[in-house]
């Protein structure tokens, strides 16, 4: 492991906005912050918004700057990447920003019923292989996680360059009859991108440079809590997505 990465790991632990639970604190048991994020971490009762797979935290920081009436928490397992967002938030003295280093599979050990107001999923790994479909952050497995912690009517936002993940997410929405506010397959080309949607992560800037359209889906769970697994018939047909372009740049 490089010295710079080790330095970032050490510095992360000095940031008041950074939380890094031990494995034993979240594996099959509740973390002490579960149900207590408002009073113990943010020290206010404002709504909590999560960004899942936050990477360097560009979106988390940008959303928090634009909306001080809410608390924003970026979640990822890549500590060296998250360092950038945590350092920026610390240097700017932002009190409504936090970063949580953990696997997203453990979120139900970290958030109580109705503790989360909204979720953003920005450019996650699309998990193109059919055998990895359960790892997609909009799969039925993850929707059950979200249903346990989202407030009634809480929105889920997905921004992605992946045509496959976009189509899959919309298939999941149709399959379960979920309320869908927006499904746009090219937010810049259609002129739909507003100030918030125009915030660009490092990945998004790279994908735009490749000429890939950026999609956006906004939906809620409609009060449903159980999401039985189903096989999507299009999975095999669309397997490669725009994978070659994403990896080679042309």
């Amino acid at each position: 492991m490089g010295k710079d990465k080790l330095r970032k790991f050490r510095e992360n632990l000095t940031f008041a906005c950074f939380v890094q639970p031990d494995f034993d604190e979240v594996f099959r048991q509740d973390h002490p912050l579960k149900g207590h994020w408002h009073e113990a971490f943010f020290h206010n009762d404002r709504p909590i918004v999560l960004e899942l797979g936050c990477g360097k935290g560009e979106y988390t920081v940008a959303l928090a700057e634009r909306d001080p009436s809410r608390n924003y928490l970026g979640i990822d397992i890549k500590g060296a990447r998250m360092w950038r967002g945590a350092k920026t938030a610390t240097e700017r003295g932002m009190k409504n920003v936090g970063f949580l280093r953990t696997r997203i599979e453990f979120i139900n050990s970290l958030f109580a019923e109705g503790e989360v107001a909204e979720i953003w999923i920005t450019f996650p790994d699309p998990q193109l292989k059919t055998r990895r479909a359960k790892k997609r952050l909009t799969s039925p497995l993850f929707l059950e996680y979200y249903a346990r912690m989202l407030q009634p009517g809480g929105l889920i936002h997905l921004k992605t360059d992946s045509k496959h993940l976009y189509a899959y997410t919309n298939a999941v929405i149709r399959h379960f009859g979920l309320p869908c506010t927006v499904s746009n397959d090219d937010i810049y080309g259609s002129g739909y991108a507003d100030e918030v949607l125009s915030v660009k992560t490092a990945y998004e800037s790279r994908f735009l440079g490749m000429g890939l359209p950026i999609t956006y889906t906004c939906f809620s769970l409609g009060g449903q809590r159980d999401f039985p697994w189903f096989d999507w018939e299009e999975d095999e047909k669309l397997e490669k997505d725009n994978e070659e372009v994403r990896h080679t740049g042309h």
Side-chain angles (χ1 to χ4, degrees):
M1 188 179 292
K3 291 183 179 179
D4 190 54
K5 185 174 284 190
L6 289 172
R7 176 186 63 80
K8 290 176 179 178
F9 286 159
R10 288 193 298 269
E11 191 171 3
N12 280 340
L13 300 178
T14 70
F15 298 140
C17 65
F18 196 90
V19 177
Q20 182 173 286
D22 291 333
F23 178 83
D24 292 341
E25 290 183 291
V26 293
F27 183 66
R28 296 182 179 175
Q29 66 175 330
D30 291 343
H31 187 272
L33 278 172
K34 181 175 180 176
H36 304 287
W37 283 93
H38 285 106
E39 67 268 26
F41 185 80
F42 288 110
H43 308 293
N44 62 55
D45 59 359
R46 298 167 190 159
I48 295 173
V49 180
L50 305 184
E51 184 194 0
L52 304 182
C54 67
K56 295 181 179 180
E58 303 104 319
Y59 232 90
T60 300
V61 171
L63 290 173
E65 284 184 321
R66 285 162 172 74
D67 186 5
S69 69
R70 292 186 166 202
N71 300 311
Y72 290 85
L73 189 63
I75 303 177
D76 209 309
I77 193 60
K78 303 288 189 180
R81 293 180 187 174
M82 299 171 74
W83 168 85
R84 179 64 270 169
K87 189 170 182 66
T88 298
T90 300
E91 291 175 342
R92 297 180 185 177
M94 301 176 71
K95 302 300 183 183
N96 65 328
V97 180
F99 289 92
L100 170 62
R101 187 187 181 197
T102 191
R103 296 188 180 280
I104 297 173
E105 290 87 344
F106 294 156
I107 55 176
N108 284 146
S109 295
L110 286 147
F111 299 96
E113 182 92 16
E115 194 168 18
V116 174
E118 203 165 296
I119 292 173
W120 281 83
I121 306 170
T122 51
F123 300 94
D125 185 334
Q127 305 291 354
L128 297 178
K129 303 298 183 184
T130 303
R131 59 183 170 80
R132 295 183 63 83
K134 289 185 178 180
K135 292 186 175 293
R136 295 171 188 159
L137 293 185
T138 53
S139 73
L141 174 65
F142 280 95
L143 295 191
E144 287 198 355
Y145 292 165
Y146 308 153
R148 295 173 195 164
M149 61 186 191
L150 268 176
Q151 296 172 1
L155 296 176
I156 301 170
H157 307 265
L158 171 69
K159 275 185 80 177
T160 180
D161 70 297
S162 170
K163 296 177 182 178
H164 189 79
L165 182 60
Y166 173 75
Y168 173 77
T169 301
N170 280 272
V172 169
I173 290 169
R174 289 192 300 271
H175 182 84
F176 293 109
L178 303 179
C180 183
T181 308
V182 181
S183 178
N184 190 302
D185 62 4
D186 186 357
I187 60 173
Y188 295 108
S190 65
Y192 187 81
D194 57 13
E195 181 185 5
V196 171
L197 287 177
S198 294
V199 173
K200 295 178 180 63
T201 66
Y203 281 117
E204 180 171 359
S205 297
R206 192 178 87 193
F207 297 145
L208 285 170
M210 297 176 186
L212 299 176
I214 305 302
T215 71
Y216 171 64
T217 308
C218 178
F219 65 102
S220 60
L221 301 181
Q224 295 188 45
R225 296 181 67 88
D226 298 318
F227 296 90
W229 182 258
F230 72 98
D231 292 320
W232 185 38
E233 66 278 5
E234 296 294 316
D235 236 331
E236 296 297 334
K237 298 178 183 178
L238 300 178
E239 191 75 336
K240 292 301 180 182
D241 193 22
N242 43 12
E243 189 173 17
E244 184 177 350
V245 177
R246 297 170 85 246
H247 285 270
T248 64
H250 55 79

